[in-house]
Amino acid sequence: MKGQNDDSLDLMLTKEEFDTFWKINEGMLLNNGATPTFESACEMLNSYLIIGPDGNIILSNSNQRSSIPFESLEHMELTDLVDADKYHQRGGNYDWN
């Protein structure tokens, strides 16, 4: 995300390095029985939202970080905040049970 970790850009992986890491680790099982999800920066861009500690929504759209006050969410849909197709393609519907 632009402006975040800019001093660490030399640590970025190439697509080939990411794909190799994914292939090596795709069968990994964590101690709690869960399997990690591997997503590229491109897949995550515009498909995530984060609820910040202040209750506001933090978005990463178009490689820019923005914040939306919680109070303004009353008249918004998920599609107003993220790319719904990308959200669903990456498995954004989680089973919270």
Side-chain angles (χ1 to χ4, degrees):
M1 189 177 303
K2 193 173 207 168
Q4 186 174 347
N5 300 320
D6 282 350
D7 57 343
S8 300
L9 292 179
D10 60 330
L11 300 176
M12 290 179 59
L13 298 175
T14 65
K15 180 180 180 345
E16 292 76 22
E17 290 170 327
F18 176 78
D19 290 344
T20 299
F21 176 82
W22 183 351
K23 186 172 290 279
I24 291 170
N25 294 288
E26 67 184 334
M28 181 187 304
L29 187 63
L30 303 177
N31 289 339
N32 65 358
T35 56
T37 299
F38 298 96
E39 297 173 314
S40 70
C42 182
E43 291 169 323
M44 290 187 288
L45 196 62
N46 300 333
S47 70
Y48 270 91
L49 62 85
I50 300 166
I51 301 173
D54 58 1
N56 292 339
I57 302 299
I58 302 167
L59 301 172
S60 62
N61 292 336
S62 304
N63 208 22
Q64 297 290 325
R65 183 176 175 172
S66 60
S67 180
I68 299 174
F70 183 78
E71 299 79 32
S72 63
L73 295 175
E74 185 176 350
H75 302 289
M76 298 179 104
E77 298 288 330
L78 178 63
T79 54
D80 296 328
L81 303 172
V82 299
D83 180 327
D85 289 334
K86 283 182 79 173
Y87 176 84
H88 290 291
Q89 285 172 357
R90 68 167 181 73
N93 292 326
Y94 299 103
D95 180 7
W96 295 97
N97 296 326

